[in-house]
Amino acid sequence: MDEQKRTRQRRANGEESRRRILDAAVEVAAERGYEGTSIALVSKKCGLPASSIYWHFKDKDELIAAVIERSFDTWLSGWTVPDGDNPRERIVALAMQVAKTLLDSPDFLRLGLMLTLERRPVEPSARTMFLQVREQARLRLVDAIRDLAPSLSDGSVALLTTYAMAGADGLFIAKEIGGDSVDLVALFELHAHSLYDAAQRLSTSEGG
């Protein structure tokens, strides 16, 4: 095997190890939360020695930050603002996309909300990562609202964006509590209709 092939093989092995570590960290964190997650438990779950984990991540905090980033990227790549002429139908379709992708990639929001509700003398970098990806989501949503409701002022767009994200947080928590008894997609569909009606009221109050 020539050097180039060996390099590719090492890279592939490294990427596979990283994936296994992140997958294991997701499972451990889902069971035990941030505090209960440890490198030892992740090592046991993924079957790789702790030294392999430390080769990829300097500590647990960096590992959880990577879990949040990967989950967020997967979630964000799964939704786009649908085309069409009917704003209500478009916002409902978008909300249902968001809900479906959230069901597939919930880890960034589950861990992120957990971290943001805690108060620590020194904030973990995983919390910082969540706030960064949340800001990306906010900006993406701002663009979507401007597209769907172009007449709204900047202040109303900001208000509606905060309302949309707060509602989504609450629906996600309801799903976490209720499990299979909660239809997250149906709830997001209802949320979308509320957002559209709120946008109409804001537009009317602005004289739009």
Side-chain angles (χ1 to χ4, degrees):
M1 182 182 293
D2 61 31
E3 184 59 32
Q4 189 175 22
K5 287 183 179 178
R6 283 195 290 269
T7 299
R8 284 200 299 267
Q9 185 62 49
R10 285 195 297 269
R11 185 181 298 115
N13 290 341
E15 290 172 355
E16 173 61 17
S17 294
R18 191 176 193 275
R19 183 194 63 77
R20 285 174 59 186
I21 292 165
L22 289 172
D23 288 347
V26 167
E27 292 186 45
V28 173
E31 295 170 358
R32 298 173 178 266
Y34 180 84
E35 288 294 345
T37 299
S38 68
I39 296 296
L41 287 171
V42 173
S43 173
K44 183 178 180 181
K45 178 72 72 172
C46 69
L48 294 169
S51 59
S52 293
I53 299 174
Y54 283 117
W55 190 84
H56 289 279
F57 308 99
K58 69 177 183 180
D59 54 24
K60 175 186 79 171
D61 188 30
E62 187 174 281
L63 172 57
I64 297 299
V67 167
I68 289 172
E69 184 176 29
R70 184 183 69 161
S71 173
F72 174 78
D73 288 343
T74 301
W75 171 74
L76 192 62
S77 67
W79 61 272
T80 56
V81 179
D83 294 328
D85 298 324
N86 188 311
R88 182 185 289 273
E89 290 178 359
R90 293 174 70 201
I91 196 170
V92 168
L94 173 60
M96 293 173 73
Q97 278 184 38
V98 169
K100 289 173 183 176
T101 52
L102 192 56
L103 288 171
D104 293 333
S105 303
D107 306 303
F108 80 94
L109 190 54
R110 179 184 296 125
L111 289 168
L113 290 175
M114 197 182 305
L115 287 165
T116 53
L117 292 173
E118 295 176 347
R119 293 290 181 268
R120 299 166 180 267
V122 178
E123 293 293 359
S125 58
R127 182 182 187 275
T128 301
M129 173 60 70
F130 174 68
L131 295 177
Q132 289 173 354
V133 299
R134 190 174 179 83
E135 176 62 9
Q136 291 182 49
R138 188 191 69 81
L139 293 174
R140 184 83 170 262
L141 186 54
V142 165
D143 289 341
I145 290 173
R146 290 193 188 285
D147 182 28
L148 294 165
S151 66
L152 288 180
S153 67
D154 290 347
S156 289
V157 169
L159 184 65
L160 199 60
T161 300
T162 300
Y163 174 64
M165 294 183 72
D169 290 342
L171 297 180
F172 178 77
I173 291 171
K175 173 66 175 176
E176 290 289 288
I177 294 171
D180 292 340
S181 67
V182 175
D183 186 339
L184 189 65
V185 176
L187 287 173
F188 265 77
E189 181 180 5
L190 186 62
H191 184 42
H193 284 291
S194 298
L195 286 171
Y196 178 81
D197 292 338
Q200 292 297 103
R201 285 195 295 274
L202 288 170
S203 180
T204 298
S205 69
E206 293 175 352

